[in-house]
């Protein structure tokens, strides 16, 4: 491999982890397509699932020294001494060369919005288990990546070993090296894309690479690493290493000289784990809809080839009855047309569900968007203590490419819709813009559901309408928010950012 190739990889790493690395001495045995990658596996899991796997139970039993029982993080010495709580809903498991790491996101009682933290439990085969807190401090806002359901990170990393051995307090320098797995594989599996944090979908070893960072601290006892003591994070405190291995002398900062050789310098492999701290604004409402058997039955009744191939659209009114219970009632046949569904005028109506025939575009029409304004102005909001809320009205579409929902993010967008429809020319332009966008999609050589999603979202952006678009899964159990990818380098295969409603 020549120097030009090595430099190219260095620049890609620096683009995502600019603050993380101050040097880029990636050795050939790190970046070449060698056999170790064939022995690396990344998978997602949860604490509940891992608690049924014997290797994880054994690893946890060596760390969980609290009095609350095996298989629970509650009240452990780790949490008590280091002041965190583990989020158990997502874990990333990395198996590499006979070693396994389990990474969880952790939170503090007093959150710090400038960073996020992970707990890494690392086991060697056959034996020892260690735990580390990894703190990630972004230097630029974290940007979700639709590729492999990942994100771009640029910033600093700091590692804190979990220590229980009191005799080490104030006596030893502990250096720890983290190997962070990155990926530049596109969804197609063969091409390259902007580097992002590696996930379980990065299954092409030719597109996996690693970035190392070493932290050295004086063990100050009780988990208080770096408190009043010197600290080395490689590269002037930015978390990067010069040598990529962490087994030499990474440097000298505030008088700390790491031992060489360093028998107590563990290393582990991980990836940043970060779940959205808050769900998208409409997620709670949409999840409640899917808890209703009436709503699910209505969607299923519309989601059939027989309905899509009919001569008239069908629909259901979404309303609250006098007892404030959600109901879905079918729109009468005489209130439907070849391309229309006339919903009820009831003041309890807050939304609707309808279908598009095969002869129609399989994404929302301009009138499908505009109806939200009508839902908003008619609905009496008795279930919301009489307070109007533009995020309550919802319109659901069932088409051949999936089940979608739209809802307004603010009242200004609904008012803008009303003003557009009050002017005939503006209304005609509004209609033609979307129809022309869909016609352009149909002229493409390869048309996907994402093609229509992108066209619709770009249309909303063009009119500065703040509406959120969601897609339900096939089992009608969850929603995913769809948004345009802000990355200017994106292409048609990764133009949509998908965020799960957790």
């Amino acid at each position: 491999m020549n120097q030009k190739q090595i430099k190219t990889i260095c620049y890609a790493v620096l683009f995502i982890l600019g603050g993380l690395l101050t040097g880029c001495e990636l050795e050939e045995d790190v970046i070449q397509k060698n056999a170790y990658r064939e022995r690396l596996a990344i998978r997602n899991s949860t604490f509940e699932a891992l608690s049924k796997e014997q290797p994880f139970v054994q690893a946890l039993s060596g760390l969980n020294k609290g009095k609350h029982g095996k298989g629970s993080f509650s009240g452990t010495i780790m949490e008590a001494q280091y002041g965190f709580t583990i989020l158990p809903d997502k874990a990333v498991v990395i198996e590499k060369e006979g070693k396994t790491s389990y990474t969880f996101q952790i939170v503090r009682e007093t959150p710090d919005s400038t960073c996020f933290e992970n707990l890494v439990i690392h086991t060697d085969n056959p034996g020892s288990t260690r735990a580390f807190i990894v703190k990630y401090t972004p230097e630029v806002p974290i940007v979700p990546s639709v590729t492999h359901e990942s994100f771009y990170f640029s910033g600093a990393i700091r590692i804190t070993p979990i220590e229980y051995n009191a005799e080490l307090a104030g006596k030893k320098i502990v250096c720890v090296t983290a190997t962070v797995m990155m990926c530049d594989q596109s969804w197609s599996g063969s091409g390259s894309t902007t580097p992002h944090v590696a996930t379980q979908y990065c299954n092409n070893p030719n597109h996996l690479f690693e970035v190392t960072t070493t932290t050295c601290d004086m063990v100050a006892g009780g988990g208080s690493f770096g408190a009043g003591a010197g600290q080395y994070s490689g590269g002037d405190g930015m978390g990067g290493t010069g040598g990529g291995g962490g087994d030499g002398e990474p440097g000298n900062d505030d008088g700390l000289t790491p031992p060489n050789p360093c028998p107590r310098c563990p290393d582990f492999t991980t990836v940043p784990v970060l779940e959205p701290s808050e769900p998208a604004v409409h997620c709670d409402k949409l999840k409640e809809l899917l808890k209703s058997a009436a709503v699910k039955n209505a969607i299923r009744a519309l989601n059939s080839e027989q309905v899509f191939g009919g001569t008239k659209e069908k629909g259901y009114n979404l309303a609250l009855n006098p007892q404030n219970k959600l109901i879905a009632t079918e729109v009468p046949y005489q209130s439907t047309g070849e391309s229309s569904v006339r919903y009820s005028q009831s003041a309890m109506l807050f939304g609707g569900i309808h279908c598009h025939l095969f002869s129609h575009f399989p994404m929302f029409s301009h009138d499908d968007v505009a109806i939200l304004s009508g839902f908003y102005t008619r609905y009496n909001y008795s279930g919301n203590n009489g307070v109007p809320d533009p995020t309550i009205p919802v319109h659901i579409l069932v088409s051949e490419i999936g089940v979608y929902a739209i809802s307004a993010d603010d009242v200004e967008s609904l008012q803008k819709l009303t003003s557009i429809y009050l002017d005939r020319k503006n209304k005609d332009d509004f209609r033609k813009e979307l129809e022309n966008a869909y016609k352009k999609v149909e002229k493409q050589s390869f048309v996907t559901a994402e093609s229509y999603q992108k066209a619709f979202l770009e249309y909303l952006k063009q009119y500065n309408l703040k509406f959120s678009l969601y897609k339900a899964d096939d089992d009608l159990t969850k929603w995913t928010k769809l948004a345009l990818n802000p990355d200017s380098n994106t292409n048609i295969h990764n133009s949509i950012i998908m965020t799960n409603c957790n």
Side-chain angles (χ1 to χ4, degrees):
M1 178 174 291
N2 58 41
Q3 285 296 112
K4 183 176 180 181
Q5 290 173 309
I6 294 177
K7 283 184 177 180
T8 299
I9 294 179
C10 289
Y11 292 148
V13 174
L14 288 170
F15 180 78
I16 301 303
L17 300 158
L20 173 65
L21 295 178
T22 58
C24 193
E25 300 176 13
L26 297 178
E27 303 292 340
E28 177 127 6
D29 62 344
V30 174
I31 59 178
Q32 67 182 354
K33 302 165 186 177
N34 51 19
Y36 93 85
R37 288 171 175 165
E38 300 297 337
R39 301 194 298 273
L40 182 143
I42 304 174
R43 62 184 172 95
N44 287 349
S45 189
T46 63
F47 174 68
E48 182 179 1
L50 289 173
S51 66
K52 300 174 184 177
E53 298 182 13
Q54 192 59 31
F56 177 72
V57 173
Q58 291 176 345
L60 188 61
S61 65
L63 298 170
N64 188 6
K65 302 178 182 180
K67 299 180 181 180
H68 292 263
K70 185 167 118 178
S72 170
F73 283 132
S74 177
T76 63
I77 288 181
M78 283 191 293
E79 287 180 301
Q81 287 192 348
Y82 290 83
F84 62 77
T85 301
I86 297 164
L87 301 181
D89 291 339
K90 180 179 179 181
V92 174
V93 184
I94 300 179
E95 298 170 282
K96 177 185 174 186
E97 298 177 331
K99 302 176 182 180
T100 304
S101 70
Y102 307 90
T103 303
F104 297 86
Q105 186 179 352
I106 60 176
V107 293
R108 306 280 182 177
E109 184 174 350
T110 303
D112 183 350
S113 61
T114 66
C115 65
F116 66 95
E117 295 179 288
N118 289 173
L119 172 73
V120 180
I121 298 174
H122 173 75
T123 64
D124 292 343
N125 192 10
S128 64
T129 299
R130 296 288 306 274
F132 308 89
I133 297 173
V134 185
K135 180 179 179 180
Y136 296 91
T137 304
E139 293 185 337
V140 296
I142 291 175
V143 179
S145 169
V146 67
T147 307
H148 301 155
E149 298 180 6
S150 184
F151 58 90
Y152 309 135
F153 173 84
S154 175
I157 296 178
R158 176 169 166 76
I159 310 162
T160 302
I162 299 287
E163 290 287 355
Y164 300 110
N165 193 343
E167 71 178 29
L168 294 176
K171 298 180 180 179
K172 298 277 187 180
I173 295 173
V174 175
C175 295
V176 184
T177 296
T179 298
V180 179
M181 299 308 303
M182 301 292 293
C183 175
D184 66 357
Q185 175 189 337
S186 66
W187 270 118
S188 66
S190 56
S192 296
T193 187
T194 305
H196 54 273
V197 171
T199 71
Q200 61 183 343
Y201 302 109
C202 297
N203 52 25
N204 187 332
N206 295 331
H207 290 275
L208 280 170
F209 59 95
E210 56 187 39
V211 179
T212 61
T213 180
T214 298
T215 296
C216 292
D217 274 321
M218 184 72 75
V219 179
S224 181
F225 291 89
Q231 174 265 334
Y232 174 79
S233 292
D236 199 23
M238 297 308 294
T241 65
D247 56 355
E249 288 187 323
N252 187 354
D253 185 50
D254 292 339
L256 287 183
T257 302
N260 185 17
C262 189
R264 296 197 70 259
C265 295
D267 64 88
F268 58 90
T269 301
T270 187
V271 294
V273 174
L274 176 63
E275 289 291 280
S277 57
E278 296 181 2
V281 66
H282 306 287
C283 281
D284 288 344
K285 168 186 64 184
L286 293 174
K287 287 188 290 186
E288 285 299 316
L289 290 179
L290 291 186
K291 291 179 183 178
S292 165
V295 172
K296 281 190 174 183
N297 290 337
I299 292 174
R300 289 173 179 143
L302 298 178
N303 196 9
S304 73
E305 291 195 6
Q306 182 178 1
V307 173
F308 298 150
T311 58
K312 296 179 71 174
E313 290 187 355
K314 292 186 176 182
Y316 286 80
N317 300 296
L318 290 177
L320 296 176
N321 66 13
Q323 290 73 43
N324 218 33
K325 181 180 178 181
L326 175 65
I327 57 174
T329 57
E330 186 171 3
V331 175
Y333 182 82
Q334 60 269 24
S335 295
T336 64
E338 188 272 334
S339 59
S340 64
V341 170
R342 294 183 292 281
Y343 294 109
S344 165
Q345 297 296 304
S346 166
M348 302 301 289
L349 189 80
F350 66 87
I353 309 172
H354 75 299
C355 71
H356 278 190
L357 307 181
F358 283 135
S359 56
H360 302 156
F361 297 120
M363 185 50 64
F364 289 101
S365 70
H366 66 291
D367 282 334
D368 293 340
V369 178
I371 193 66
L372 286 171
S373 179
F375 292 151
Y376 173 72
T377 55
R378 285 197 302 271
Y379 185 52
N380 68 11
Y381 294 95
S382 61
N384 197 42
N385 297 319
V387 180
D389 185 346
T391 68
I392 290 178
V394 60
H395 202 191
I396 295 176
L397 169 66
V398 182
S399 78
E400 59 185 300
I401 64 170
V403 178
Y404 295 88
I406 51 171
S407 199
D409 297 343
D410 56 41
V411 70
E412 289 78 15
S413 294
L414 293 173
Q415 292 171 342
K416 187 175 295 185
L417 271 177
T418 301
S419 64
I420 289 173
Y421 268 66
L422 287 175
D423 185 287
R424 177 172 294 183
K425 182 180 185 306
N426 289 340
K427 178 182 176 181
D428 288 342
D429 292 342
F430 189 69
R431 171 183 59 81
K432 291 176 182 177
E433 284 288 345
L434 187 55
E435 289 181 358
N436 290 337
Y438 289 153
K439 288 176 181 178
K440 287 182 180 179
V441 169
E442 294 193 336
K443 291 179 180 179
Q444 296 173 3
S445 57
F446 184 65
V447 178
T448 65
E450 185 178 310
S451 304
Y452 285 104
Q453 297 163 9
K454 180 173 181 286
F456 180 68
L457 289 169
E458 288 179 338
Y459 168 75
L460 295 178
K461 181 179 179 181
Q462 176 184 343
Y463 279 89
N464 195 27
L465 293 173
K466 295 181 180 179
F467 289 82
S468 292
L469 173 67
Y470 296 82
K471 187 177 188 298
D473 66 339
D474 293 340
D475 297 327
L476 299 181
T477 58
K478 63 181 182 180
W479 295 91
T480 299
K481 182 177 180 179
L482 308 177
L484 289 173
N485 191 336
D487 184 359
S488 59
N489 295 321
T490 190
N491 55 51
I492 192 171
H493 299 296
N494 61 352
S495 57
I496 302 296
I497 293 175
M498 297 175 288
T499 305
N500 292 329
C501 280
N502 297 319

